[in-house]
Amino acid sequence: MQNETVIVLDFGGQYNQLIARRVRECNVYCEVMSYKNSIEKIKEKNPVGIIFTGGPNSVYDEKSPHYDKEIFELGIPILGICYGCHLMAYSLGGHVDTAPVGEYGKTEITTSDSLLFDGVDKNTVVWMSHTDYIDKIPEGFKITAYSKDCPCAAYENADKKLYAVQYHPEVNHSIQGQQMLKNFLYNICGCKGDWIMSDFAKRSIEALRNKIGNGKVLCALSGGVDSSVAAVMLHKAVGKQLTCVFVDNGLLRKNEGDEVESLFRKQFDINLIRANAQEKFLGKLKGVIEPEKKRKIIGEEFIRIFETEAKKIGTVDFLVQGTIYPDVIESGAGDAAVIKSHHNVGGLPEHVDFKEIIEPLRDLFKDEVRQLGIELGLPEKFVWRQPFPGPGLAVRVIGEITEDKLAILRDADAIFREEIANAELNKSINQYFAVITDMRSVGVMGDSRTYDYTLALRAVTTTDFMTADWARIPYDVLEKASNRIVNEVKHVNRLVYDITSKPPATIEWE
């Protein structure tokens, strides 16, 4: 267990996960909990600080979320953000009303003396998003920041360690927002900063070793970052007591199956069963065009093959899942009593004989899983590989999936990823890949007319994969990728670049 915990109390804000990630970036452990959790559950966590999130409601609406006023009397430092700022004022005798002028986007505020603004410029830019405002602060509080249209951009009662800001310090657009969060954690909550990945790795491996004892462990290895890090972690804890089953469905990226097998067998000497089921999957997908049907077929076939391989092993004591913290939050808003049955290709196998599920990554965000992977000795290239959907390339082949289309897509996708890496954009762009459309168009190569496939390139930047913006890749990088694909990959004569954000589009095409 961590020595110190900060609770992010979620009131429906879109940035709840981002707040938690920002806190962890300050080396402080943090959990997201729904406002529906009782104050007793909050007390059980023994937090050193609490952060109220934003939310879409107006606090004076009877149907909007509220919380037990006792939370302000616990002596635990609290930071209210946006809706949380309004809730603190409303609960403690202040007044919140519709603002004469709403504020959205980058806004300059003027700050005054406060522990929250230590090291922050007197005039600094923050990200506002509100239609309500506080026109009367509670008794015993003082205003510590204002903007042109917002007389109370921040207020506090330093004696009671209650602080609130109208804006969102957690987003990148708040220029010194991270400094403000750090000030709250260290200056006000008195955090020591003991959330360090190397310590987490050591503690977790020891805890797994104690829990498992002499038990047998089974892991479904997809080859993705999450399942790979989970597998290596379990291997370091219990060695040959772990068996990994890697189902090669024929829908992996170029050379991926061989790379996964080589890494886990040669570098880590893990017990690995590779089930080569390419023909079975492609046979089941023959003639299928509808995206959801593809997903369902792949999920069901995966489970069927995994079960077959698992039965050969016999009874196991533990089944490993690569569930990560966003899965936990999304399934139960941080309520630890809700456990999501999660597998990246479609559900837990029903007929595998196991006693208990182990989720060694359930406390970690994606970026932390990558950090852990490096700590555990996974190659950086492997840890920073692109997020890959459970159905694999199936969701990047529009129309019927054939071996020919998969071959074209693999080669084109590999070139695109290589050029992004060559341009050193691979860590600043969060996801990038190629899609083979079901459209052919006329082209000219040499002196001949061609009638070949159109491929799309997709690249996005995102913090949480819930929303995403299309990546502004330099033209020369796109040009080089396009030229290479057309010249090196047969049956492609046209490339397009997807400049649609999410929403309205999704990141994947299917």
Side-chain angles (χ1 to χ4, degrees), residues 289-291 294-295 394-399 506 508-510:
I289 294 172
E290 208 275 315
K294 289 180 188 177
R295 287 177 178 270
V395 295
R396 297 174 185 173
V397 175
I398 309 303
T506 53
E508 297 288 348
W509 273 40
E510 287 197 345

Side-chain angles (χ1 to χ4, degrees), residues 470-481:
W470 61 277
R472 273 61 171 178
I473 297 175
Y475 290 156
D476 61 327
V477 178
L478 287 173
E479 180 183 31
K480 191 168 183 183

Side-chain angles (χ1 to χ4, degrees), residues 21-34:
R21 284 181 58 207
R22 293 288 184 249
V23 171
R24 291 190 184 187
E25 284 171 10
C26 294
N27 297 114
V28 175
Y29 181 68
C30 182
E31 290 185 18
V32 179
M33 296 180 71
S34 168

Side-chain angles (χ1 to χ4, degrees), residues 266-336:
K266 293 180 180 177
Q267 181 167 334
F268 289 103
D269 191 28
I270 290 175
N271 287 332
L272 178 71
I273 297 170
R274 178 176 178 176
N276 292 309
Q278 298 91 330
E279 290 183 10
K280 286 185 180 178
F281 277 90
L282 291 179
K284 296 274 186 181
L285 291 165
K286 188 174 177 60
V288 178
I289 294 172
E290 208 275 315
E292 281 309 306
K293 193 173 180 184
K294 289 180 188 177
R295 287 177 178 270
K296 189 174 181 182
I297 288 169
I298 293 163
E300 289 175 350
E301 191 63 22
F302 171 87
I303 291 171
R304 193 168 293 119
I305 292 167
F306 181 73
E307 286 175 345
T308 299
E309 297 299 331
K311 283 175 184 175
K312 296 175 186 176
I313 300 167
T315 302
V316 295
D317 300 286
F318 300 94
L319 179 69
V320 180
Q321 283 186 236
T323 309
I324 64 174
Y325 198 42
D327 301 320
V328 178
I329 296 172
E330 286 162 15
S331 61
D335 184 347

Side-chain angles (χ1 to χ4, degrees), residues 331-350:
S331 61
D335 184 347
V338 180
I339 298 173
K340 184 178 183 182
S341 292
H342 171 80
H343 187 277
N344 66 352
V345 290
L348 279 171
E350 295 176 8

Side-chain angles (χ1 to χ4, degrees), residues 188-221:
I188 297 162
C189 299
C191 292
K192 299 183 293 293
D194 62 359
W195 174 247
I196 299 168
M197 196 50 64
S198 57
D199 291 344
F200 172 82
K202 290 173 190 172
R203 286 198 300 266
S204 298
I205 289 168
E206 188 60 35
L208 287 167
R209 191 175 289 132
N210 292 334
K211 180 182 181 69
I212 293 165
N214 295 320
K216 288 172 68 177
V217 186
L218 178 64
C219 175
L221 184 65

